[in-house]
Amino acid sequence: MIHIHKGEEPEVLKNHKETWTKEYTEALETGDTIPNTIRYRYRHKDIKDALRKEAANKCIYCERKIPFGETDHIVPVSKHPELIVDWDNLGLSCKECNTYKGNYYDENEQLINPFEDQPDEHLLFFGPMILQRVGDMKGFRTVEKLRLRRTELIERRKERIEQLQGLIEQWNSLPEGKTKEITRKKIMEEAQNDKEFSAIVLAYLSQALGW
Ligand SMILES: [Zn+2]
C-alpha cells in the first residue's frame, strides 16, 4: 500500500454530483428499492477512468494491478449515503479487498486511507510480508480487515521479488560502466508508484542494497 495523490475530479461529477446525491438520498428515504440507474451512478465510465488513472490501474489497498477493478467507497455508503458520489470518497479496489473491507467503518477506529495517510508510517514491508508497526492499531486493523497477508497476495509478491532478484544479480555481476548504470536504473524504475507492489519493491531495495 502506498500514498496516492487524488486525481482531478471528472467533469461528469462536477456537473452532476449534487443532483445525483439528492436523488439517491431521497430515494433512500422512501424505503423502496432504489433503481440501479440511481444507485450505481458512481460506476460511470468517466469516473472509473479517472480512478484507474490516479491509481495507475492498481488496487489502492493491496497494490495489485487489476484489469477492471471495482469502485470502493472509502467511507461506506451504508454509513454515509451522502458520500455516494463524493469524489474524495471513491477509489479503485480489487474485488477481494473491497469484499473484505465490506461496510467496515468506525470514526474512532479507522483503516488506513491511502489518499490521506502515509501507509509506511503504519506498515512495515519485509519481502512479501506486510506487518503493522509495533503498537500501530490502524496498521493492525488494516492488515487484518483487508487480509493483506492472504496467501494469493504473498505468492504474487514473492514472484515479484524473485523477478527483481534476477535483475539485481545481473546488475551485481556487471563491471562498472554504462551497462551497469542502465541496469541499476531499470531496477529503480521497478519501485516507482505505477508499478505493481511498489511499496514492497522499495522496501526490498532498501534492505537488500541500501538504495
Ligand atoms: Zn486489493
Side-chain angles (χ1 to χ4, degrees):
M1 196 188 284
I2 54 166
H3 179 76
I4 300 163
H5 294 285
K6 195 70 198 159
E8 208 204 323
E9 183 175 28
E11 288 297 319
V12 68
L13 268 186
K14 284 184 196 161
N15 297 334
H16 299 292
K17 66 182 168 193
E18 272 179 42
T19 323
W20 288 359
T21 307
K22 193 164 169 280
E23 285 179 5
Y24 177 71
T25 48
E26 282 175 2
L28 201 63
E29 278 163 20
T30 65
D32 297 335
T33 309
I34 302 172
N36 284 352
T37 45
I38 291 181
R39 173 80 178 85
Y40 294 114
R41 275 168 167 156
Y42 60 83
R43 291 181 178 170
H44 191 284
K45 187 184 175 295
D46 293 357
I47 302 173
K48 190 68 173 286
D49 287 348
L51 292 175
R52 295 187 64 85
K53 192 177 165 204
E54 71 180 8
N57 297 317
K58 294 191 292 184
C59 170
I60 61 169
Y61 299 114
C62 71
E63 264 205 276
R64 234 168 21 128
K65 283 272 184 191
I66 38 179
F68 302 106
E70 301 190 346
T71 302
D72 174 57
H73 289 89
I74 312 272
V75 177
V77 176
S78 56
K79 304 282 159 65
H80 283 275
E82 76 282 6
L83 298 179
I84 188 156
V85 288
D86 182 290
W87 175 235
D88 289 336
N89 195 40
L90 303 176
L92 186 76
S93 165
C94 73
K95 190 176 191 303
E96 288 78 9
C97 287
N98 203 5
T99 306
Y100 290 133
K101 181 167 166 277
N103 61 1
Y104 179 89
Y105 183 69
D106 188 307
E107 206 178 326
N108 300 313
E109 296 185 56
Q110 295 187 13
L111 303 177
I112 297 172
N113 176 343
F115 295 111
E116 287 178 2
D117 297 317
Q118 297 294 338
D120 64 358
E121 290 177 359
H122 303 278
L123 304 172
L124 290 169
F125 308 99
F126 289 108
M129 198 64 172
I130 293 186
L131 304 158
Q132 74 270 13
R133 287 186 181 269
V134 175
D136 193 299
M137 290 301 108
K138 195 179 214 178
F140 169 75
R141 284 190 297 274
T142 306
V143 169
E144 292 300 323
K145 190 67 200 162
L146 298 174
R147 304 199 196 177
L148 293 179
R149 292 198 286 253
R150 54 187 190 261
T151 312
E152 165 247 348
L153 279 179
I154 300 258
E155 283 299 318
R156 283 183 66 154
R157 293 185 201 131
K158 195 166 151 272
E159 281 170 25
R160 183 87 172 92
I161 289 172
E162 281 169 355
Q163 172 198 33
L164 201 68
Q165 259 187 332
L167 264 179
I168 290 172
E169 289 301 336
Q170 187 189 330
W171 168 82
N172 191 47
S173 63
L174 284 165
E176 293 301 327
K178 290 278 183 281
T179 312
K180 194 178 180 91
E181 193 43 45
I182 290 167
T183 311
R184 180 189 154 95
K185 251 182 109 179
K186 200 171 151 65
I187 295 168
M188 293 297 285
E189 277 169 15
E190 293 300 318
Q192 283 174 2
N193 283 351
D194 62 332
K195 296 290 191 330
E196 191 168 46
F197 304 131
S198 65
I200 275 146
V201 172
L202 194 67
Y204 176 68
L205 291 182
S206 160
Q207 288 155 10
L209 299 162
W211 288 3

